[in-house]
């Protein structure tokens, strides 16, 4: 957990893992994994009342998600078939949005400032990606 003294080791491991990972598709998958894990850690931290740290972890989770989306786009534009990955990211964007919206009410008012822009990004991503997937006859369930 981010409130543990050895958290920095996990962060360094993740960065090293990303560095060693070839190709934008696989890097996108890893970024999504790290985003998911950090969002769950933020939920746990907020349940413990550690809102400052939870907010910071939510922002980092979002940064990982944005990087995952950018890498998927890069891979698709490079000719890779990323339909499955995009479907996964689309579903994750909806889940992340719902989680963040459910968490924000428990946060102190001064820590809620970044939530609207994150929710807006996730909503926009969902709209764009689901539209693209539907154009390819891929159903989001």
């Amino acid at each position: 957990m981010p409130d543990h003294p050895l958290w920095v080791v996990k962060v360094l491991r993740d960065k090293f893992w990303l560095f060693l990972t070839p190709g934008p598709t696989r890097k996108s998958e890893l970024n999504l994994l790290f985003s998911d894990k950090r969002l769950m850690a933020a939920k746990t931290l907020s349940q413990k009342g550690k809102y400052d740290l939870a907010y910071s972890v939510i922002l980092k989770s979002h940064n990982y998600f944005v990087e995952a989306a950018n890498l998927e786009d890069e891979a698709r534009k490079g000719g890779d078939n990323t339909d499955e990955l995009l479907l996964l990211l689309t579903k994750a964007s909806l889940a992340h949005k719902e989680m963040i919206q459910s968490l924000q009410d428990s946060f102190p008012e001064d820590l809620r400032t970044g939530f609207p822009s994150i929710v807006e990004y996730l909503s926009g991503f969902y709209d764009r990606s689901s539209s693209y997937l539907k154009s390819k006859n891929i159903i989001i369930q």
Side-chain angles (χ1 to χ4, degrees):
M1 290 294 296
D3 57 347
H4 191 278
L6 293 177
W7 175 254
V8 70
V9 174
K10 183 175 184 175
V11 170
L12 292 172
R13 180 211 58 194
D14 291 351
K15 289 182 187 269
F16 187 66
W17 191 0
L18 276 169
F19 175 75
L20 292 177
T21 301
T25 301
R26 183 65 184 129
K27 284 185 183 200
S28 177
E29 292 168 349
L30 277 178
N31 274 286
L32 179 58
L33 174 67
F34 299 154
S35 176
D36 290 345
K37 286 183 175 191
R38 278 158 181 79
L39 191 56
M40 293 308 297
K43 180 181 178 183
T44 302
L45 289 167
S46 68
Q47 290 169 342
K48 292 180 180 180
K50 297 181 178 186
Y51 297 108
D52 287 331
L53 185 55
Y55 181 74
S56 173
V57 173
I58 287 170
L59 294 177
K60 289 175 183 162
S61 168
H62 181 63
N63 290 339
Y64 276 112
F65 186 90
V66 170
E67 183 64 14
N70 290 340
L71 287 164
E72 181 280 328
D73 188 55
E74 176 186 325
R76 186 169 13 100
K77 287 178 180 173
D80 292 353
N81 180 348
T82 62
D83 292 349
E84 287 185 37
L85 174 58
L86 186 58
L87 181 60
L88 190 62
L89 283 163
T90 303
K91 290 177 182 179
S93 69
L94 190 58
H96 284 215
K97 176 184 163 190
E98 290 173 357
M99 169 99 53
I100 289 168
Q101 287 176 320
S102 72
L103 289 175
Q104 72 182 355
D105 293 336
S106 66
F107 276 70
E109 191 68 37
D110 62 322
L111 292 177
R112 294 183 193 176
T113 58
F115 288 125
S117 63
I118 293 171
V119 168
E120 183 180 335
Y121 174 86
L122 292 169
S123 294
F125 178 85
Y126 179 83
D127 291 343
R128 288 186 307 277
S129 60
S130 62
S131 176
Y132 174 79
L133 290 169
K134 286 176 187 174
S135 76
K136 295 189 80 177
N137 294 318
I138 299 172
I139 307 292
I140 302 165
Q141 296 179 7

